[in-house]
Amino acid sequence: MTQTPEPDPADRSRLLSPADVRALAERFGIRPTKTLGQNFVIDHGTVRRIVRVAGVGADDVVVEVGPGLGSLTLALLPHVRRVTAIEIDPALAEALPGTVADHAPDLADRLTVVPGDAMRITEVPGPAPTALVANLPYNVSVPVLLHLLELLPSLERVLVMVQSEVADRITATPGGRIYGVPSAKVAWYARARRAGAVGRNVFWPAPNVDSGLVELVRRPTPSTKAPRAEVFKVIDAAFAQRRKTLRAALSGWAGSAPAAEEALRAAGVDPKARGESLGIEGFVAIAENRPEQAGQAGSR
C-alpha cells in the first residue's frame, strides 16, 4: 500500500514573485528608500534558504524586523507558531496583513504586525519570542540587533541578513583586524558565525553591496558583578582609538592613565595590549576592576 506523502508546509503559502513585489509596491504607492534601508527580497530560493538555515520549527515564535512587502514573512509562516513583524514604514505595516491574507489565508492568524521602530520598542506583544529572523536594514543592523538581544532574553537564536562587511565584523574573533565593538558586544549575548553569502540580484532594488547571513546562538550571560552597561563602556573606550594601548585608551573611563593601568593589572591584562586582543571575558574583568568599584567593594 502506497502512503500519501506529508504535504510540504511551504505549499500553504504562495510566495511573492518579483512581479508580485513590484505590483504590491505600485498598489500601495511604496517607493523603496535608502533612508529606511529598504531593499525587498524577490527570490524564492533566498527566503526558503533563510528559513532553513534559521532552523525554526512549529513551536517557535519569531520576531521579524523590517518585513517590507512580506517575502520572508510568507516563507516563515508555514513553519512556525507565530511571526511578530516590526515595521517602521506605516504604509508597509498597514499592507502586510492583507498580503498575508491573500497569499496564505489559513495562516493569517499566525501574524502580528507591530508598527514602529525596532530600535525604540520596549516590549513585543504575545508569547515570548524564541527566534529573530530578518533581513535587517543595512544602516541600523547592529544597533537593532543589540537592542533586541537585550530586550528579549527569550531569544534562543538569530538568523539575520546584513551587509557582508557588517557580517564579517559581527562574527570576527579577537586578534583580527576587523574585530571591534560589534563583535565584542554581540559576544556578551551569543556565539556568532557566518552562515553564508547572499548576492545582490535577489533584491529589488539591487543594493550596491553584497549581503551575508549571520547566525547567533544565545550563550549564558557572563557571570560578573559589573553591569552590562559598564562592560560596554569599556568596549567602546577600548576601540575608540584602536592604535592606542589599553592603558591610554581607557584613561578617560578610569579617570587617568595610572588608574587604567591599575584596573588592567588587577584584571590580569597587559596595559600595553590593545582592544582587539581581548575577548568578552577580558572586558568583563576590566569592568569589574574599575578603581572606584574596587574601592567601594573594599570598604564594605
Side-chain angles (χ1 to χ4, degrees), residues 179-181 232-246 248-250 252 275-276 283:
Y179 177 75
V181 171
F232 281 16
K233 286 179 183 178
V234 176
I235 293 171
D236 287 334
F239 290 104
Q241 297 183 31
R242 296 182 65 101
R243 294 186 179 183
K244 286 189 174 183
T245 65
L246 285 169
L250 298 181
E276 59 262 32
F283 292 113

Side-chain angles (χ1 to χ4, degrees), residues 54-243:
V56 290
D59 294 329
D60 279 305
V61 176
V62 175
V63 172
E64 183 188 3
V65 174
L69 290 162
S71 296
L72 179 56
T73 312
L74 286 166
L76 283 165
L77 284 170
H79 298 275
V80 301
R81 176 182 167 196
R82 176 164 291 278
V83 173
T84 301
I86 304 170
E87 176 55 62
I88 193 172
D89 187 320
L92 289 172
E94 184 178 356
L96 185 57
T99 300
V100 170
D102 289 343
H103 288 257
D106 61 333
L107 302 176
D109 61 349
R110 297 186 184 183
L111 174 68
T112 299
V113 178
V114 178
D117 185 348
M119 275 291 296
R120 298 182 182 276
I121 62 168
T122 57
E123 61 180 356
V124 172
T130 58
L132 167 64
V133 183
N135 169 28
L136 290 180
Y138 283 166
N139 52 347
V140 293
S141 53
V142 172
V144 165
L145 186 58
L146 290 172
H147 175 63
L148 293 179
L149 284 168
E150 178 64 20
L151 177 68
L152 304 172
S154 60
L155 290 177
E156 299 168 359
R157 59 197 178 282
V158 172
L159 197 284
V160 290
M161 183 157 55
V162 297
Q163 184 177 338
S164 185
E165 181 182 346
V166 173
D168 289 338
R169 290 177 179 172
I170 291 172
T171 58
T173 54
R177 182 178 57 84
I178 59 174
Y179 177 75
V181 171
S183 343
K185 288 185 177 180
V186 165
W188 171 272
Y189 301 102
R191 294 184 296 274
R193 73 173 187 92
R194 279 292 297 255
V198 180
R200 306 177 188 192
N201 61 348
V202 306
F203 297 97
W204 173 74
N208 296 323
V209 294
D210 293 324
S211 301
L213 298 177
V214 173
E215 180 190 62
L216 305 181
V217 177
R218 176 80 72 167
R219 54 166 278 179
T221 300
S223 178
T224 174
K225 63 184 180 182
R228 176 197 59 80
E230 193 65 44
V231 177
F232 281 16
K233 286 179 183 178
V234 176
I235 293 171
D236 287 334
F239 290 104
Q241 297 183 31
R242 296 182 65 101
R243 294 186 179 183

Side-chain angles (χ1 to χ4, degrees), residues 9 21 50 65 269 283:
V21 171
I50 290 172
V65 174
V269 176
F283 292 113

